[in-house]
Amino acid sequence: AQSVTQLDSHVSVSEGTPVLLRCNYSSSYSPSLFWYVQHPNKGLQLLLKYTSAATLVKGINGFEAEFKKSETSFHLTKPSAHMSDAAEYFCVVNRLALEFYFGTGTSLTVIP
Amino acid sequence: NAGVTQTPKFQVLKTGQSMTLQCAQDMNHEYMSWYRQDPGMGLRLIHYSVGAGITDQGEVPNGYNVSRSTTEDFPLRLLSAAPSQTSVYFCASSYRQAGQAKMVTEKLFFGSGTQLSVL
């Protein structure tokens, strides 16, 4: 079975401080993992993906994620939050390249 | 290049009514899928298709039918709407990686969503 657990439903950070959004996964297969972002009243946009190449993945807008197999984690980080980062973030695991399982989402608030 | 187009953007139904949510993509993607998004639940896969004539169930298929007669279109049908189907629905498509025999999809291309209310 495949599943994704996003450990925080809400995260608040001050502008200019680091961002950490946590994601744990379970998968019967070597997973493909993704982070998607959804800005208010907008569609979903791919931030980054892990597909068994380098364990540290760089995405758009300065975001990174590190795949840690021993911890079954794929946490999303950014060194310095910007106001425009305020959005809903989804961690996603892909099963056999056919079914995408989304986490319940983490709402990121950036305080000026 | 329009990408993934969903219609309508908003819809209100009465319990028991039927309707079809339309999804079309112009990127020649083999893979198409439907999700529903509910508060605190993330996105849940309803049905997906890996090509014309091929469909399969996702996590929450009950109450929904799909068909895939062409590569471009993947409509989602609600035969008898229920209040529990009030949600935002997203269609997404993706492609086979070049040189790969299997359907290895890396990136989902999402439509802008359909907000459905069932009274």
Side-chain angles (χ1 to χ4, degrees):
Chain A
Q2 284 61 233
S3 70
V4 170
T5 302
Q6 291 184 244
L7 299 169
D8 307 291
S9 58
H10 300 279
V11 169
S12 292
V13 300
S14 297
E15 189 175 17
T17 65
V19 176
L20 170 64
L21 305 182
R22 298 182 295 165
C23 172
N24 286 350
Y25 71 91
S26 65
S27 176
S28 305
Y29 306 87
S30 296
S32 293
L33 294 160
F34 310 78
W35 277 97
Y36 279 81
V37 60
Q38 184 179 32
H39 289 276
N41 301 314
K42 296 280 183 69
L44 289 100
Q45 180 184 22
L46 178 67
L47 271 181
L48 50 80
K49 63 180 188 291
Y50 165 78
T51 54
S52 75
T55 56
L56 181 62
V57 181
K58 294 185 184 297
I60 62 172
N61 301 335
F63 284 94
E64 293 182 348
E66 186 171 7
F67 174 72
K68 292 186 176 181
K69 187 174 182 178
S70 60
E71 300 176 9
T72 61
S73 69
F74 190 58
H75 301 334
L76 182 69
T77 61
K78 183 173 181 178
S80 177
H82 190 271
M83 295 298 295
S84 61
D85 294 327
E88 189 87 13
Y89 291 81
F90 293 96
C91 183
V92 183
V93 65
N94 180 299
R95 185 186 84 87
L96 296 179
L98 295 175
E99 299 176 18
F100 291 78
Y101 292 90
F102 283 69
T104 53
T106 298
S107 177
L108 176 65
T109 300
V110 182
I111 303 166
Chain B
N1 191 337
V4 180
T5 303
Q6 287 184 239
T7 55
K9 293 190 181 300
F10 302 95
Q11 184 70 51
V12 179
L13 293 177
K14 294 181 179 179
T15 297
Q17 285 185 315
S18 63
M19 81 157 296
T20 299
L21 307 185
Q22 301 291 346
C23 176
Q25 52 89 11
D26 61 0
M27 298 173 283
N28 201 32
H29 284 175
E30 295 177 73
Y31 180 91
M32 296 186 74
S33 54
W34 277 102
Y35 293 84
R36 59 177 290 173
Q37 183 178 23
D38 302 290
M41 303 286 285
L43 278 79
R44 291 179 292 169
L45 179 65
I46 304 172
H47 286 285
Y48 65 92
S49 168
V50 299
I54 306 169
T55 64
D56 209 342
Q57 297 180 349
E59 294 177 80
V60 288
N62 293 339
Y64 307 96
N65 284 346
V66 292
S67 59
R68 184 91 180 272
S69 56
T70 66
T71 299
E72 294 78 19
D73 300 299
F74 191 46
L76 180 71
R77 297 184 184 86
L78 285 71
L79 297 178
S80 179
S84 61
Q85 294 178 304
T86 294
S87 187
V88 180
Y89 292 83
F90 287 97
C91 179
S93 71
S94 193
Y95 54 89
R96 187 193 302 269
Q97 270 190 309
Q100 295 290 326
K102 296 180 180 180
M103 179 63 67
V104 180
T105 55
E106 288 199 329
K107 177 179 177 179
L108 288 170
F109 294 76
F110 283 90
S112 57
T114 296
Q115 189 169 323
L116 176 67
S117 295
V118 183
L119 306 178

